[in-house]
């Protein structure tokens, strides 16, 4: 806070020079961030002015900045009890309250101040902001109307109108309030000849919310519409209103006028086609002629001397037009006669427009993103196989004309810009052909030859990238990206069942070579992160993730790339750090969001204020934020170890509130905001919502996408349902674990939670129940672990419910759990069986044996170990009581069932101990795999592709980190074995 011009003792007495000098010294210390000195000066000044509110507020601020938060809040509450009216005191105290989310105290503080001085606008502004922080839109409206009565400014009437709009968004049943807002604005407008542009936009938005689109259009075309300075923006708003009024012909004309002025406005061209297709049919002659006529106008917009800088919009517009027509014909939206007559001609026109666009713009890095939608369409439609093949042949022919000399010296004298353009054109053709041929599946020899060609071309083009900024993508980076994808595809087609690590290691090596030159290429770093996590090397994945420098809003959209795999890999500290980053970002934004929104209100950006509040709501309901909170709690339990008493202490809140139904029922799928950006998700990457992954053994390739590393950013309804299911299981897990560790404490609540948990698991892994009888070598090990965990909680519910009177049902559930554990153990061990690789010199286990075992050890085995210990204690206590009853001659009905339960638990423990012993021996042997063996595994591919020295250095680092990961896994398994061994049955 800046020093006030006049400061009085206690907020009442006049100032004195001595006090001004003391305050000046304090403010200087605060401005220089020397809060300890400022606190010392404040305490000295308070000796002569104990009740000076200015000094007390500054002391509270210094206490807060010197990590004495409790004292600071206590002092501010004391000031609140005495009442404050000085602006500088209120602003200083509000800083402390805001830092500790004391929103109610801020409101009380300004309510008191405004009641003492109702005409003080600063106090009313502070009160408005306080209600805004609480999202109390009714009170905001009341404050705005009071301000307007005192000072009839335009901004205050729109504060009230915007507050009413926010009330209606919060509760649509209050829609009649919009009429009040409209009446207030019209009354103000009638007495004021001038309104700001933002006010006009806000009023039109208000009319749109009421559904009065005709009135909004009339208002826009009236004198107030002239306040919108940019004519294009006014036309866009007009076209939108015409579309709302279903005046499609007029809307098309308006969009046409926009496109003639701004021919590269792609969104307007989409809306133009929408208007034409709604007025006529997309396949009609009128639509085609109108669209082509507009495209010709758009192409002729540039002056003759500027036409060498051709616009992409008109060219891509032809592709979009014929794409829509083909799509309509294939989906039978047009009548059968028109389809038979026009399909061939439309397909030919599409092919010509597509190839023409590639020839014109292949030198631009955006060529693949521009054409992605149409390439996916060609690949997905079986009826377009001939058209797809024709496009491929055209591109191949064009590529042969773009041969690049092996020695760049042959291009001496050619401008660098032209050289780069030719090189970029060749790369663009290669990218498109690779996408179009993705499903062809080249034979191994041809695929490896293709990779060598790509790497050679990349090396050849390196000199053309020397002057490109290191934070920008290299000229030929995508060549190595394509090469790595080919290796991954080879692994899936040839070695996923064999299990070797050959091609995945080569893919990672090529990507490492790429990021060594383009270290800020987050797309390729994310691909590396995915590969390393799936191969069970979390430290290398962490290094790749950190190179992406993900921060701020990216934590909400991109953290899923690392979080789930990191948890599966037992890298709990890294995962906890990421969860903390996500929650800190969201909570930090929430702390300052009210100030940002009020800033928009104060500067007349009323529609922006609504947008910012919508953003805040979306962030509060973010799936990533909710997942970070849930996973942070689960990680806290895991980091507590395998000792039941210590874990129960961590789970004390869950045990105390075991009857509350707030964990899953508070989640509403429709309100969950899935903000994850999947645009650059590698097509093989494990999905952030389930165990579905194209690379895992016995896993359906349902995450395999047609385009390299791309996927729509907006999640589908099925994805959101699966996200909700996973989030529900993770939020419910601590409660289920807590009740399982205290059998019989609240058996009804546990049974209810287990049923909910099972339902969520079925939503997450559809068809999970059908895998019950699948042989161990034919099931995805992660799903096998999931089946075992589901049975674990079923058994826990049965044990908790039947602890009072044990029955055969409890014994049966324990037997089923033992049987399920046997299958899962065999499935995990099957991954570690050595398999001879094709043509290789060494034998290696499945590439994902480490990551699958890490996931099993960190989840299913962890919870099973805790439950076995808790059950054994409960059953031992019950057996002790039974023996006491027998000693005094009482009959014990469940003695047999009790012994059978203990017998099955002993067998289950023995089974798990044998599994842990086998895994310990396997890991001890595999940790000793040398770097030379990894190099031999790669069949010489790595050395041939990127140089033997670089390859050996990379493989050595990979072997070291993989050995460390296996050693950490071995230590985790040893700790689990010790806890199980110490549990007496």
């Amino acid at each position: 806070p800046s020093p006030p011009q006049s400061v009085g003792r206690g907020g009442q007495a006049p100032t004195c020079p001595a006090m001004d000098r003391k305050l000046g010294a304090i403010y200087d210390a605060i401005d220089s961030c020397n809060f300890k000195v400022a606190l010392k000066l404040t305490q000295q000044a308070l000796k002569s002015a104990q009740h000076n509110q200015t000094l007390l507020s500054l002391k509270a601020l210094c206490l807060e900045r010197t990590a004495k938060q409790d004292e600071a809040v206590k002092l501010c509450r004391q000031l609140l009890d005495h009442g404050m009216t000085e602006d500088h005191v209120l602003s200083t105290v509000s800083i402390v309250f805001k830092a500790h989310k004391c929103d109610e105290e801020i409101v009380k503080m300004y309510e008191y101040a405004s009641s003492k001085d109702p005409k003080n606008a600063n106090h009313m502004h502070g009160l408005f902001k306080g209600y805004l922080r609480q999202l109390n839109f009714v009170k905001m409206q009341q404050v705005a109307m009071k301000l307007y009565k005192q000072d009839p400014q335009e901004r205050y009437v729109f504060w009230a109108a915007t507050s009413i709009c926010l009330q209606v968004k919060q509760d649509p049943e209050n829609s009649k309030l919009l009429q009040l807002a409209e009446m207030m604005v019209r009354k103000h407008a009638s007495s004021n000849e001038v309104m700001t542009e933002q006010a006009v936009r806000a009023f039109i938005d208000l009319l749109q919310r009421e559904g009065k689109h005709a009135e909004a259009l009339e208002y826009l075309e009236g004198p107030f519409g002239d306040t919108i300075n940019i004519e294009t923006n006014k036309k866009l708003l007009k076209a939108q209103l015409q579309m709302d009024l279903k005046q499609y012909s007029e809307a098309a004309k308006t969009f046409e006028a926009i496109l003639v002025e701004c021919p590269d406005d792609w969104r307007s061209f989409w809306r133009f086609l929408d208007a034409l297709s709604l007025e006529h049919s997309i396949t009609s002659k009128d639509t085609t002629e109108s669209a082509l006529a507009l495209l010709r106008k758009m192409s002729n917009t540039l002056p003759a001397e500027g036409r060498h800088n051709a616009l992409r919009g008109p060219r891509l517009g032809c592709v979009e037009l014929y794409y829509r027509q083909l799509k309509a014909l294939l989906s039978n939206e047009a009548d059968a006669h028109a389809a038979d007559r026009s399909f061939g001609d439309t397909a030919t026109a599409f092919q010509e427009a597509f190839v023409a666009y590639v020839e014109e713009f292949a030198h631009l890095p955006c060529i693949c993103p521009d054409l992605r939608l149409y390439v996916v369409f060609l690949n997905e439609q079986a009826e377009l196989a001939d058209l797809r093949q024709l496009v491929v042949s055209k591109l191949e022919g064009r590529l042969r004309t773009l041969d690049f000399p092996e020695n760049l010296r042959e291009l001496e004298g050619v401008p660098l810009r032209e050289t780069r353009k030719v090189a970029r054109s060749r790369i663009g053709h290669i990218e498109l052909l690779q996408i179009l041929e993705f499903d062809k599946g080249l034979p191994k020899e041809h695929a490896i030859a293709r990779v060598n060609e790509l790497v050679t071309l990349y090396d050849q083009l390196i000199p053309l990238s020397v002057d490109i900024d290191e934070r920008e993508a290299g000229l030929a980076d995508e060549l190595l990206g394509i090469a790595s994808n080919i290796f991954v595809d080879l692994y899936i087609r040839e070695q996923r069942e064999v299990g070797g690590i050959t091609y995945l290691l080569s893919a990672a090596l090529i990507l490492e070579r790429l990021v060594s030159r383009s270290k800020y290429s987050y797309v390729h770093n994310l691909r590396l992160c995915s590969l390393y996590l799936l191969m069970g090397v979390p430290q290398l994945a962490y290094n790749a993730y950190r190179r992406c420098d993900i921060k701020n809003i990216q934590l909400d959209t991109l953290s899923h790339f690392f979080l789930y795999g990191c948890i599966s890999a037992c890298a709990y500290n890294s995962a906890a750090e990421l969860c903390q980053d996500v929650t800190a970002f969201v909570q930090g934004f929430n702390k300052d969001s009210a100030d940002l929104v009020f800033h928009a209100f104060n500067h007349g950006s009323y529609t922006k204020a609504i947008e910012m509040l919508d953003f805040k709501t979306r962030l509060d309901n973010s799936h990533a934020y909710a997942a970070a909170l849930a996973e942070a709690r689960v990680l806290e339990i895991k980091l507590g170890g395998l000792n039941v008493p210590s874990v129960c202490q961590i789970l004390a809140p869950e045990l105390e509130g075991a009857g509350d139904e707030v964990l899953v029922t508070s989640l509403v799928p429709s309100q969950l905001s899935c903000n994850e950006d999947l645009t650059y998700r590698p097509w093989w990457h494990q999905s952030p919502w389930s165990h579905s992954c194209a690379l895992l053994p016995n896993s359906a390739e349902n995450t395999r996408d047609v385009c390299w590393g791309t996927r729509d950013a907006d999640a589908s309804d099925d994805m959101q349902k699966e996200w909700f299911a996973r989030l529900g299981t993770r939020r419910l897990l601590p409660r289920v674990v807590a009740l399982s560790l205290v059998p019989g404490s609240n058996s009804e609540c546990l049974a209810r939670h287990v049923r909910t948990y099972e339902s969520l698991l079925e939503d997450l892994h559809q068809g999970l129940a059908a895998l019950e009888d699948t042989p161990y070598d034919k099931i995805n090990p992660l799903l096998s672990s999931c089946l075992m965990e589901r049975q674990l909680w079923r058994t826990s519910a049965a044990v908790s419910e039947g602890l009072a009177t044990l029955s055969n049902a409890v014994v049966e559930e324990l037997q089923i759990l033992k049987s399920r554990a046997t299958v899962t153990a065999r499935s995990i061990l099957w991954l570690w069986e050595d398999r001879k690789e094709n043509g290789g010199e060494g034998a290696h286990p499945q590439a994902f044996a480490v990551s699958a075992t890490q996931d099993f050890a960190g989840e299913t085995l962890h919870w099973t170990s805790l439950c076995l210990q808790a059950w054994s204690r409960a059953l031992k206590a019950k057996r002790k009581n039974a023996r006491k009853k027998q000693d005094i001659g009482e009959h014990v009905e469940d003695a047999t069932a009790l012994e059978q339960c203990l017998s099955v638990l002993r067998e289950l423990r023995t089974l798990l101990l044998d599994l842990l012993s086998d895994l310990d021996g396997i890991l001890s042997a595999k940790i000793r795999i040398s770097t030379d063996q990894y190099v031999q595994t790669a069949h010489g591919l790595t050395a041939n592709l990127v140089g033997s020295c670089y390859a050996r250095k990379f493989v050595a680092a990979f072997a070291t980190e993989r050995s460390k990961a296996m050693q950490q896994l071995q230590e985790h398994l040893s700790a689990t074995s010790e806890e199980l061994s110490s549990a007496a049955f």
Side-chain angles (χ1 to χ4, degrees):
S2 57
Q5 295 180 353
S6 179
V7 179
R9 295 180 63 183
Q12 300 294 330
T15 60
C16 65
M19 182 59 68
D20 285 343
R21 286 194 299 271
K22 293 178 182 179
L23 287 172
I26 295 171
Y27 279 115
D28 289 340
I30 291 175
D31 290 340
S32 60
C33 297
N34 198 341
F35 296 104
K36 290 185 177 179
V37 172
L39 178 60
K40 183 177 180 181
L41 293 172
T42 305
Q43 290 172 335
Q44 291 175 355
L46 280 169
K47 292 179 180 178
S48 58
Q50 297 180 1
H51 303 293
N52 188 305
Q53 291 189 343
T54 302
L55 292 174
L56 290 171
S57 64
L58 292 174
K59 179 182 178 181
L61 177 64
C62 294
L63 288 170
E64 197 274 331
R65 297 298 168 87
T66 53
K68 298 177 181 179
Q69 288 85 357
D70 293 340
E71 294 181 41
V73 173
K74 182 179 179 181
L75 181 55
C76 286
R77 284 177 175 154
Q78 291 175 357
L79 286 169
L80 177 63
D81 292 339
H82 288 86
M84 298 166 282
T85 56
E86 293 291 334
D87 288 340
H88 58 273
V89 175
L90 292 168
S91 63
T92 305
V93 172
S94 66
I95 293 174
V96 179
F97 279 146
K98 186 179 75 171
H100 298 278
K101 301 179 182 179
C102 300
D103 298 339
E104 187 176 348
E105 284 81 353
I106 293 176
V107 169
K108 288 180 179 179
M109 179 175 70
Y110 279 104
E111 283 178 341
Y112 175 82
S114 59
S115 67
K116 292 296 183 181
D117 189 2
K119 295 185 179 181
N120 190 316
N122 290 333
H123 294 172
M124 298 296 283
H125 288 181
L127 183 58
F128 184 86
K129 191 193 300 186
Y131 290 136
L132 176 62
R133 197 178 300 280
Q134 292 181 329
L135 302 182
N136 191 336
F137 304 129
V138 176
K139 292 288 187 180
M140 286 168 56
Q141 175 196 345
Q142 294 172 358
V143 172
M145 294 178 73
K146 288 180 181 178
L147 284 167
Y148 185 73
K149 288 179 181 178
Q150 295 174 9
D151 184 8
Q153 295 184 31
E154 176 187 276
R155 59 172 175 168
Y156 294 142
V157 72
F158 278 97
W159 284 17
T162 305
S163 299
I164 290 174
C165 291
L166 291 170
Q167 291 178 53
V168 175
K169 282 180 66 70
Q170 192 176 53
D171 185 4
E173 293 183 359
N174 294 328
S175 57
K176 291 184 179 180
L177 289 174
L178 293 174
Q179 298 176 7
L180 172 62
E182 180 188 352
M183 182 187 68
M184 291 167 54
V185 175
R186 286 190 183 277
K187 182 179 179 181
H188 173 79
S190 64
S191 59
N192 292 271
E193 297 181 356
V194 180
M195 287 179 65
T196 63
E197 178 180 347
Q198 288 295 332
V200 172
R201 285 180 174 273
F203 184 52
I204 292 174
D205 178 69
L206 173 61
L207 293 173
Q208 286 180 290
R209 292 178 187 277
E210 289 186 272
K212 298 180 178 180
H213 305 295
E215 295 183 26
L217 182 59
E218 181 183 355
Y219 188 81
L220 178 65
E221 293 176 336
F224 284 114
D226 295 336
T227 59
I228 300 179
N229 298 322
I230 302 176
E231 189 65 23
T232 303
N233 291 345
K234 182 178 178 180
K235 289 179 180 178
L236 283 170
L237 189 54
K238 178 181 177 181
Q240 177 61 51
L241 291 169
Q242 288 170 336
M243 291 288 287
D244 293 337
L245 290 168
K246 298 183 180 181
Q247 299 175 0
Y248 302 123
S249 178
E250 291 81 357
K253 292 177 182 178
T254 307
F255 281 122
E256 182 176 350
I258 295 170
L259 289 164
V260 170
E261 296 177 4
C262 307
D264 236 11
D265 188 344
W266 185 240
R267 186 181 294 275
S268 292
F269 184 75
W270 268 38
R271 301 304 306 276
F272 170 75
L273 288 182
D274 290 341
L276 286 181
S277 60
L278 289 169
E279 180 70 17
H280 310 288
S281 168
I282 188 63
T283 57
S284 69
K285 183 178 179 180
D286 291 340
T287 298
T288 305
E289 290 179 352
S290 299
L292 292 177
L294 173 60
L295 291 170
R296 284 192 292 270
K297 287 182 184 179
M298 292 163 62
S299 299
N300 295 328
T301 299
L302 286 176
E305 61 273 13
R307 288 181 185 171
H308 64 279
N309 295 321
L311 296 173
R312 291 154 49 213
R315 274 63 171 184
L316 193 59
C318 290
V319 184
E320 174 69 18
L321 172 63
Y322 296 125
Y323 157 73
R324 291 196 182 197
Q325 291 183 346
L326 277 177
K327 191 175 180 182
L329 293 170
L330 288 172
S331 61
N332 295 322
E333 291 180 11
D335 59 86
H337 175 69
D340 293 337
R341 179 166 48 83
S342 62
F343 183 82
D345 294 339
T346 306
T348 302
F350 175 83
Q351 173 260 318
E352 292 174 353
F354 187 96
V355 173
Y357 187 83
V358 175
E359 291 177 356
E360 184 91 31
F361 299 107
H363 64 283
L364 298 178
C366 60
I367 183 68
C368 279
D370 284 352
L371 296 176
R372 184 179 75 88
L373 175 66
Y374 315 113
V375 172
V376 171
F377 178 66
L378 286 175
N379 284 334
E380 287 180 344
Q381 300 296 329
E383 298 91 340
L384 300 178
D386 293 339
L387 176 60
R388 175 175 169 275
Q389 189 56 45
L390 181 60
V391 171
V392 169
S393 63
K394 291 280 187 181
L395 294 180
E396 286 178 339
R398 174 69 179 168
L399 182 61
R400 284 192 290 271
T401 67
L402 295 171
D403 286 337
F404 210 71
E406 295 183 3
N407 192 341
L408 288 180
R409 292 181 179 177
E410 299 179 21
L411 295 174
E412 290 182 359
V414 180
L416 180 61
R417 179 177 178 179
E418 293 300 321
T419 305
R420 283 178 174 170
K421 183 175 180 179
V422 174
R424 189 56 240 182
S425 295
R426 184 171 178 80
I427 294 169
H429 280 78
I430 290 172
E431 286 185 78
L432 286 172
L433 283 171
Q434 190 66 43
I435 297 172
L436 285 165
E437 295 179 342
F438 183 80
D439 287 330
K440 285 181 64 175
L442 292 172
K444 175 184 173 182
E445 295 76 12
H446 294 171
I448 293 176
R450 181 70 168 157
V451 170
N452 278 285
E453 291 176 8
L454 294 171
V455 175
T456 302
L457 181 58
Y458 174 82
D459 291 336
Q460 188 181 349
L461 297 177
I462 285 178
L464 298 180
S465 303
V466 290
D467 60 340
I468 295 178
D469 188 89
E470 63 176 2
R471 290 188 175 273
E472 295 182 10
L475 180 70
D477 283 0
E478 273 308 311
L479 293 176
L480 294 190
I482 293 171
S484 67
N485 281 317
I486 292 175
F487 273 134
V488 175
D489 187 52
L490 273 175
Y491 171 81
I492 291 176
R493 290 192 287 109
E494 295 202 7
Q495 295 208 163
R496 187 170 64 168
E497 297 303 325
V498 176
I501 205 169
T502 304
Y503 298 127
L504 297 181
L505 194 59
S506 299
L509 172 57
I510 287 179
L511 289 173
E512 284 285 1
R513 166 78 186 286
L514 191 158
V515 299
S516 68
R517 298 190 63 87
S518 302
K519 60 182 178 180
Y520 296 104
S521 177
Y522 75 94
V523 175
H524 300 101
N525 274 310
L526 290 176
R527 293 179 181 178
L528 268 175
C529 181
S530 172
L531 282 176
Y532 286 141
L533 286 173
L534 288 166
M535 288 191 286
V537 193
Q539 184 56 48
L540 293 179
Y542 180 80
N543 296 341
Y545 177 80
R546 283 302 175 195
R547 283 197 296 268
C548 296
D549 194 23
I550 291 174
K551 55 190 176 184
N552 297 332
I553 193 61
Q554 293 173 329
L555 289 167
D556 186 54
T557 58
L558 296 176
S559 59
H560 66 91
F561 277 103
F562 184 66
L563 178 60
Y564 302 107
C566 192
I567 293 172
S568 296
C570 298
Y572 298 142
N573 291 324
S574 298
E577 179 184 344
L578 180 55
C579 290
Q580 185 177 0
D581 290 344
V582 174
T583 54
F585 162 69
V586 176
Q587 292 171 0
F589 176 81
N590 284 337
K591 185 176 71 174
D592 299 325
S593 60
D595 294 331
L596 297 173
V597 177
F598 180 75
H599 188 74
F601 269 106
N602 209 28
H603 286 76
S605 299
Y606 311 113
T607 55
K608 292 296 181 184
I610 296 176
E611 290 176 9
M612 293 171 69
L613 284 170
D614 288 342
F615 175 77
K616 179 183 182 302
T617 302
R618 184 170 181 175
L619 200 59
D620 288 340
N621 296 330
S622 164
H623 168 263
Y625 177 49
L629 292 174
E631 295 293 353
R633 184 58 176 157
V634 175
L635 288 169
E636 185 181 0
I637 300 169
K638 289 183 178 180
L639 291 171
L642 289 166
N643 184 269
V644 173
S646 62
V647 173
C648 285
Q649 288 182 355
I650 297 173
L651 290 169
E654 281 77 11
L655 289 171
E656 293 172 0
D660 297 336
E661 295 290 339
V662 296
L663 290 176
V664 177
T665 54
S666 62
L667 287 174
V668 181
S670 60
Q671 294 179 356
L672 190 65
S673 178
C674 300
N675 304 328
E676 281 81 352
D677 183 2
L678 305 180
T679 306
Y680 295 103
R681 185 181 72 87
W683 56 270
W684 67 77
H685 185 67
Q686 180 173 335
S687 66
W689 52 87
S690 67
H691 289 312
S692 181
C693 177
L695 302 188
L696 294 177
N698 300 319
S699 177
E701 297 180 23
N702 55 354
T703 62
R704 184 171 178 169
D705 203 30
V706 180
C707 291
W708 291 127
T710 58
R711 189 164 186 161
D712 291 335
D714 295 329
S716 66
D717 292 340
D718 289 340
M719 292 181 194
Q720 294 194 26
K721 181 180 179 182
E722 291 172 343
W723 273 335
F724 174 77
R726 177 180 172 91
L727 178 59
T729 59
R730 304 306 283 181
R731 291 189 68 177
L732 197 56
L733 186 60
R735 184 66 55 86
V736 173
V737 173
L739 296 176
S740 298
L741 297 186
V742 187
S745 59
N746 197 328
S747 58
E748 292 182 3
C749 184
L750 176 58
R752 188 167 57 252
H753 285 331
V754 169
R755 287 193 296 271
T756 304
Y757 194 92
E758 288 185 33
S759 175
L760 291 169
L761 272 185
E762 188 60 34
D763 290 340
L764 181 60
H765 307 290
Q766 296 181 6
L768 185 66
L771 300 175
E772 286 282 2
D773 299 325
T774 305
Y776 70 89
D777 58 344
K778 300 296 182 183
I779 186 173
N780 182 339
L782 299 181
L783 291 177
S784 181
S785 299
C786 189
L787 285 169
M788 179 178 168
E789 185 176 339
R790 184 186 68 169
Q791 183 57 44
L792 174 68
W793 304 130
R794 283 182 178 176
T795 306
S796 179
V799 170
S800 183
E801 186 177 2
L803 197 62
T805 305
L806 289 175
S807 63
N808 292 330
V810 179
V811 180
E812 290 176 4
E813 290 292 339
L814 286 169
Q815 290 283 7
I816 295 173
L817 176 61
K818 189 188 82 169
S819 176
R820 188 69 254 168
T822 303
V823 175
T824 304
R826 290 179 179 176
S827 179
I828 296 294
L829 291 174
W830 173 76
L831 287 175
W832 288 96
E833 293 177 6
D834 286 338
R835 293 164 175 82
K836 193 75 172 181
E837 297 197 18
N838 299 339
E841 300 181 13
H844 292 271
Q846 282 277 359
F848 302 111
V850 175
S851 60
T853 308
Q854 287 170 335
D855 185 82
F856 170 72
E859 287 290 331
T860 308
L861 187 60
H862 188 94
W863 309 129
T864 304
S865 175
L866 287 172
C867 286
L868 289 183
Q869 295 179 62
W871 297 345
S872 67
R873 294 186 180 190
L875 291 173
K876 280 173 57 182
K878 188 170 181 62
R879 183 171 61 180
K880 185 175 180 181
N881 291 335
R883 287 177 177 172
K884 288 181 179 179
K885 291 181 180 179
Q886 289 177 346
D887 291 342
I888 61 177
E890 293 186 13
H891 176 65
V892 181
E893 295 182 354
D894 55 356
T896 304
L898 177 61
E899 292 302 323
Q900 288 178 343
C901 288
L902 287 169
S903 175
V904 176
L905 285 177
R906 282 191 289 269
E907 293 173 3
L908 180 56
R909 183 185 67 167
T910 302
L911 170 67
L912 294 178
L913 288 174
D914 290 343
L915 171 62
L916 292 171
S917 177
D918 292 341
L919 288 174
D920 182 72
I922 292 170
L923 288 168
S924 297
K926 300 302 179 185
I927 287 173
R928 292 194 293 270
I929 293 179
S930 65
T931 301
D932 291 337
Q933 287 175 285
Y934 277 106
V935 174
Q936 291 173 1
T937 300
H939 304 304
L941 287 176
T942 52
N944 294 337
L945 291 173
V946 293
S948 58
C949 294
Y950 187 87
R952 179 169 288 277
K953 181 179 178 181
F954 163 76
V955 174
F958 176 84
T960 301
E961 292 300 331
R962 189 172 168 88
S963 296
K964 286 181 181 179
M966 294 167 71
Q967 189 171 359
Q968 291 173 358
L969 175 60
Q970 187 179 25
E971 292 172 357
H972 184 83
L973 294 174
S974 297
T976 306
S977 179
E978 289 178 6
E979 291 294 338
L980 279 174
S981 300
S982 62
F985 286 81

